[in-house]
């Protein structure tokens, strides 16, 4: 998987100052976690998952979760399990027939239901572990976490050269109830810490959190406007996002994908669209506003500014908005390089653009994280930005 794949060579040369590196199943959990971008959830019951991967129907699909949990009705679970195996058989056959290479595969995960379900499914899917990265564990917590990990450990001990990775999903009451979560965080960390090398990221299930209060986030607001969610997200980042912790934490889902009537004013200024792209930019802005995707873009920006990497998505149209936001700007890249290069001396420097202060020691961790993001997502050319990226994708 490469975040530049899906573009023509001409477009790559127009967009990227530094092209992203290729990430595949054989990279470390940390490298994969940084590179997931918009992770598309798809119910395993679908007939076409294997075919859409082999045909590259969505050329900008970089990571996905094939779901056997909430998106599959209970009475359809066995059929969905069979279809999951059939999808892997189809993909495996395509690779053997040279219709697809391993580097063309998106980073694939399986969302399982419970530890018992994982134990039952492991023998059926382990033979395809070159095709999928690992599992997403829903409702992961102190009670079931050890059992999930024991099953993964037992499988990985059979073959240490290609471990199966996993992503815990925090979405239960022990994390959303404020009086419980500090203790739950510490207990969870003690469970996870010995297995950090297998943990791709921590994911956050805000839909399940909201369900505890009968809340459903509307199109006009972000996760950061729902007080109970903002409070919880803040604590998750505070505990698991510290420099000494080093967990990668993914942003949670935006669940809307079709346009509807709106009440509040649009959140996008006209200038960034029109000044750089003229009528094409204006048309793009109208499409985004009509689809209520300006709120989605704001939430991605807030995710990124608060330290989340990547985001759960439920519709292919969301992919470019997430992936494009995580490409590093040319200015960010120049600042980061300057800070890292001068890290031994400390002090304060005027930025390359002479528009901000680069204070070496306080900004060093930010710079290192930015350069990691540059490896995964690439760096925009000077005077190329998110709007240019969207226009390139949406007009192809």
């Amino acid at each position: 998987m490469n975040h530049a794949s899906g573009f023509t060579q001409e477009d790559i040369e127009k967009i990227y100052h530094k092209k992203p590196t290729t990430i595949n199943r054989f990279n470390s959990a940390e490298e994969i976690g940084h590179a997931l971008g918009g992770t598309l959830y798809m119910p395993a019951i679908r007939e076409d998952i294997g075919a859409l991967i082999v045909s590259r129907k969505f050329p900008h699909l970089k990571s996905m979760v094939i779901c056997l949990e909430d998106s599959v009705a209970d009475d359809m679970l066995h059929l969905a399990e069979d279809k999951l195996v059939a999808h892997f058989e189809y993909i495996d056959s395509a690779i053997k027939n040279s219709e697809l290479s391993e580097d063309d595969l998106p980073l694939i995960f399986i969302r399982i239901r419970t530890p018992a379900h994982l134990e039952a499914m492991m023998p059926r899917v382990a033979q395809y572990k070159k095709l999928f990265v690992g599992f997403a564990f829903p409702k992961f917590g102190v009670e079931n976490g050890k059992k999930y990990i024991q099953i993964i450990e037992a499988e990985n001990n059979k073959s240490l050269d290609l471990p199966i990775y996993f992503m815990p999903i925090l979405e239960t009451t022990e994390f959303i109830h404020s009086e419980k979560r500090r203790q739950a965080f510490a207990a969870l960390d003690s469970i996870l810490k010995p297995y950090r090398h297998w943990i791709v990221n921590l994911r956050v299930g805000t839909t399940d959190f909201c369900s505890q209060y009968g809340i459903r986030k509307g199109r006009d607001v972000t996760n950061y406007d729902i007080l109970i969610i903002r409070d919880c997200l803040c604590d998750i980042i505070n505990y698991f996002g510290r420099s000494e912790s080093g967990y990668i934490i993914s942003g949670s889902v935006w669940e809307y994908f079709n346009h509807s009537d709106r009440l509040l004013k649009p959140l996008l200024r006209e200038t960034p669209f029109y000044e750089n792209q003229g009528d094409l930019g204006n048309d793009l802005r109208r499409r985004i506003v009509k689809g209520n995707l300006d709120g989605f873009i704001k939430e991605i920006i807030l995710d990124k500014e608060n330290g989340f990497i990547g985001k759960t998505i439920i519709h292919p149209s969301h992919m470019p908005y997430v992936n494009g936001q995580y490409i590093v700007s040319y200015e960010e890249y120049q600042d980061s390089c300057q800070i890292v290069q001068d890290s031994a001396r400390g002090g304060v420097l005027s930025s390359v653009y002479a528009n901000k202060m680069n204070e070496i020691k306080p900004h060093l961790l930010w710079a290192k994280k930015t350069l990691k993001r540059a490896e995964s997502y690439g760096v925009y050319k000077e005077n190329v930005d998110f709007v240019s990226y969207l226009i390139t994708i949406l007009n192809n």
Side-chain angles (χ1 to χ4, degrees):
M1 180 280 288
N2 187 294
H3 274 277
S5 64
F7 290 111
T8 66
Q9 188 59 39
E10 181 182 2
D11 285 337
I12 289 172
E13 296 301 325
K14 286 180 181 177
I15 292 170
Y16 292 100
H17 167 74
K18 175 183 170 63
K19 291 183 284 190
T21 58
T22 296
I23 304 290
N24 63 28
R25 172 68 181 92
F26 302 94
N27 284 84
S28 70
E30 181 183 21
E31 290 166 332
I32 290 171
H34 273 104
L36 293 183
T39 301
L40 180 66
Y41 274 53
M42 300 186 76
I45 199 72
R46 284 184 58 149
E47 298 280 353
D48 62 345
I49 292 177
L52 69 83
I53 290 172
V54 172
S55 68
R56 302 173 187 82
K57 180 178 179 180
F58 304 125
H60 298 285
L61 173 64
K62 308 305 175 185
S63 67
M64 64 185 299
V65 172
I66 304 177
C67 183
L68 290 168
E69 202 224 4
D70 286 346
S71 66
V72 175
D74 293 343
D75 61 355
M76 301 292 284
L77 178 59
H78 292 311
L79 179 59
E81 293 168 348
D82 291 342
K83 288 187 182 297
L84 172 69
V85 175
H87 298 322
F88 285 136
E89 288 175 346
Y90 188 92
I91 296 167
D92 188 48
S93 176
I95 290 174
K96 288 175 178 175
N97 293 332
S98 300
E99 299 172 51
L100 188 74
S101 76
E102 289 172 345
D103 280 347
D104 291 328
L105 280 176
L107 299 165
I108 301 172
F109 296 83
I110 303 166
R111 190 186 194 193
I112 216 78
R113 292 191 170 204
T114 63
H117 191 210
L118 173 65
E119 198 163 34
M121 286 301 296
M122 186 68 82
R124 300 190 65 185
V125 299
Q127 61 183 309
Y128 299 111
K129 67 178 184 177
K130 288 187 177 181
L131 307 182
F132 75 97
V133 176
F135 292 89
F137 293 149
K139 300 169 180 62
F140 190 97
V142 175
E143 290 296 318
N144 62 11
K146 288 182 180 178
K147 183 58 178 174
Y148 271 127
I149 293 172
Q150 285 170 358
I151 298 166
I152 293 292
E153 186 173 30
E155 184 62 35
N156 285 345
N157 284 340
K158 297 176 185 177
S159 177
L160 297 174
D161 60 323
L162 188 60
I164 291 174
Y165 298 142
F166 63 93
M167 304 187 297
I169 307 174
L170 313 186
E171 53 187 350
T172 55
T173 56
E174 62 193 311
F175 303 117
I176 190 62
H177 290 172
S178 59
E179 75 279 8
K180 298 178 182 178
R181 63 173 166 257
R182 299 304 174 95
Q183 184 177 351
F185 286 165
L188 183 68
D189 190 31
S190 68
I191 293 170
L192 295 177
K193 194 170 290 183
Y195 304 98
R196 288 286 302 282
H197 54 296
W198 293 339
I199 301 171
V200 170
N201 62 23
L202 304 181
R203 307 192 77 83
V204 184
T206 53
T207 301
D208 278 56
F209 284 158
C210 283
S211 74
Q212 298 296 323
Y213 299 88
I215 294 170
R216 183 170 190 179
K217 178 169 66 77
R219 294 174 175 85
D220 288 308
V221 297
T222 71
N223 280 323
Y224 301 92
D225 298 309
I226 306 297
L227 299 182
I228 196 77
I229 299 302
R230 182 179 67 186
D231 184 53
C232 186
L233 293 178
C234 177
D235 282 350
I236 288 172
I237 284 287
N238 188 315
Y239 193 94
F240 293 105
R242 299 174 189 179
S243 59
E244 64 268 24
S245 301
Y247 289 98
I248 300 166
I249 310 168
S250 175
S252 59
V253 69
W254 179 273
E255 53 186 67
Y256 298 101
F257 54 88
N258 282 329
H259 73 272
S260 63
D261 294 334
R262 63 189 304 136
L263 179 63
L264 301 181
K265 291 173 66 175
L267 298 170
L268 297 177
R269 294 172 58 237
E270 294 180 4
T271 305
F273 291 85
Y274 182 74
E275 282 195 352
N276 290 338
Q277 301 294 332
D279 290 339
L280 279 176
N282 272 346
D283 181 61
L284 172 61
R285 182 182 177 277
R286 283 192 292 268
R287 289 161 64 184
I288 291 171
V289 170
K290 184 178 180 181
N292 279 125
L293 290 170
D294 49 328
F296 177 47
I297 292 171
K298 180 178 180 180
E299 186 169 284
I300 300 166
I301 292 170
L302 290 172
D303 284 342
K304 186 175 68 172
E305 291 296 318
N306 282 285
F308 292 96
I309 301 291
K311 193 169 185 64
T312 297
I313 59 175
I314 44 79
H315 196 271
S317 64
H318 290 174
M319 289 184 290
Y321 296 96
V322 179
N323 296 340
Q325 275 292 332
Y326 280 93
I327 300 174
V328 174
S329 73
Y330 185 79
E331 183 173 344
E332 287 177 311
Y333 183 67
Q334 295 299 326
D335 285 342
S336 299
C337 289
Q338 182 191 58
I339 290 165
V340 170
Q341 286 165 6
D342 288 305
S343 59
R345 61 186 290 270
V348 179
L349 299 169
S350 175
S351 71
V352 174
Y353 277 67
N355 61 1
K356 71 178 77 65
M357 170 188 73
N358 283 339
E359 194 169 355
I360 303 301
K361 290 181 179 179
H363 291 148
L364 182 58
L365 182 58
W366 168 84
K368 289 179 177 179
K369 286 186 171 183
T370 301
L371 293 179
K372 282 185 179 179
R373 188 155 55 90
E375 288 295 314
S376 300
Y377 298 93
V379 177
Y380 284 125
K381 275 192 167 181
E382 193 171 18
N383 300 320
V384 174
D385 59 13
F386 176 60
V387 175
S388 312
Y389 174 89
L390 287 181
I391 286 177
T392 303
I393 286 184
L394 298 178
N395 287 340
N396 278 347

